[in-house]
Amino acid sequence: AQSVTQLDSQVPVFEEAPVELRCNYSSSVSVYLFWYVQYPNQGLQLLLKYLSGSTLVKGINGFEAEFNKSQTSFHLRKPSVHISDTAEYFCAVTQTSGSRLTFGEGTQLTVNP
Amino acid sequence: DGGITQSPKYLFRKEGQNVTLSCEQNLNHDAMYWYRQDPGQGLRLIYYSQIVNDFQKGDIAEGYSVSREKKESFPLTVTSAQKNPTAFYLCATRVGELGYTFGSGTRLTVV
């Protein structure tokens, strides 16, 4: 079985500041990792994913994440945030041989002017 | 456009009633999923189906039922046995390593 822990439930930042949303996972086998974004009353949109290869993954809207196998982490970063980045962000994991996607509890990112 | 359609967007149910949430996809994906979302709890898996006429329970299947008679459709019934059904319900599909695609959700409220 796998699990995901998002270390911050809320992250407030000012516009144009950098941000990091932290995600740790637990699994006894190889995994795929995902970050999703959710705007109010909407579904989830894929930001980026790690399947294999380079540990630095670039996604949409200027976000990137780094897979760190030794620390079992997959932190999401953006060097300069915008008001429009205000949303809830979910980290998720699935085993490479499996089908179930397990989510973290989410991090609410609020960008203030 | 290919995608997932969840309907209705908002649904109200009286206590003791069953209600069915619709999920239709035209992506030709084999696997389909139902998740429940509550504030501060992330998304929890209710049921999933990897192929027509087959489905498995997720982590919180009690009080829910599903069917998968067609590849395109995976309806979820919230039965009267579900003690706390008020939540946001999300349907998703998956194909291989390409990741999961989500619908726009149905918000169910018990009145």
Side-chain angles (χ1 to χ4, degrees):
Chain A
Q2 66 261 19
S3 66
V4 178
T5 302
Q6 292 185 240
L7 300 170
D8 306 291
S9 59
Q10 298 195 38
V11 174
V13 295
F14 287 109
E15 193 173 18
E16 298 183 4
V19 70
E20 177 179 80
L21 307 184
R22 298 179 294 167
C23 172
N24 287 349
Y25 71 92
S26 174
S27 176
S28 57
V29 298
S30 296
V31 297
Y32 297 143
L33 293 154
F34 305 84
W35 274 99
Y36 286 87
V37 60
Q38 184 182 36
Y39 300 99
N41 290 314
Q42 294 187 25
L44 274 65
Q45 180 183 6
L46 181 66
L47 276 178
L48 48 80
K49 60 186 176 186
Y50 172 78
L51 303 180
S52 64
S54 173
T55 57
L56 183 61
V57 180
K58 294 190 181 296
I60 63 172
N61 300 342
F63 284 94
E64 63 182 30
E66 186 160 15
F67 171 59
N68 188 319
K69 188 174 182 180
S70 62
Q71 297 187 9
T72 60
S73 68
F74 191 54
H75 301 333
L76 181 71
R77 301 186 181 99
K78 186 170 183 178
S80 176
V81 294
H82 303 291
I83 299 287
S84 59
D85 291 323
T86 295
E88 189 151 24
Y89 292 79
F90 291 95
C91 182
V93 63
T94 184
Q95 295 179 1
T96 57
S97 60
S99 177
R100 298 166 54 123
L101 188 62
T102 300
F103 286 87
E105 295 179 349
T107 297
Q108 174 64 43
L109 173 65
T110 302
V111 181
N112 297 301
Chain B
D1 289 339
I4 302 172
T5 300
Q6 288 190 243
S7 61
K9 189 171 179 65
Y10 299 95
L11 188 58
F12 297 89
R13 191 197 88 173
K14 292 183 179 180
E15 285 192 29
Q17 286 184 337
N18 293 353
V19 64
T20 297
L21 283 60
S22 172
C23 178
E24 302 280 333
Q25 56 112 349
N26 60 5
L27 299 168
N28 200 34
H29 291 176
D30 287 315
M32 297 187 73
Y33 304 79
W34 274 106
Y35 285 90
R36 170 179 170 141
Q37 184 177 16
D38 297 281
Q41 296 192 48
L43 281 75
R44 293 179 290 169
L45 183 63
I46 304 172
Y47 269 98
Y48 64 105
S49 168
Q50 300 192 65
I51 197 168
V52 175
N53 293 323
D54 186 51
F55 49 82
Q56 288 80 40
K57 293 182 178 180
D59 300 319
I60 56 165
E62 185 176 352
Y64 299 96
S65 66
V66 294
S67 63
R68 188 82 187 277
E69 298 177 1
K70 300 185 300 181
K71 188 175 186 177
E72 301 79 16
S73 179
F74 191 41
L76 173 73
T77 297
V78 184
T79 75
S80 57
Q82 170 50 235
K83 298 306 178 187
N84 185 24
T86 294
F88 191 51
Y89 291 87
L90 285 161
C91 178
T93 67
R94 179 185 66 89
V95 60
E97 297 176 350
L98 298 181
Y100 296 72
T101 301
F102 284 84
S104 57
T106 293
R107 185 166 298 280
L108 173 64
T109 303
V110 174
V111 297

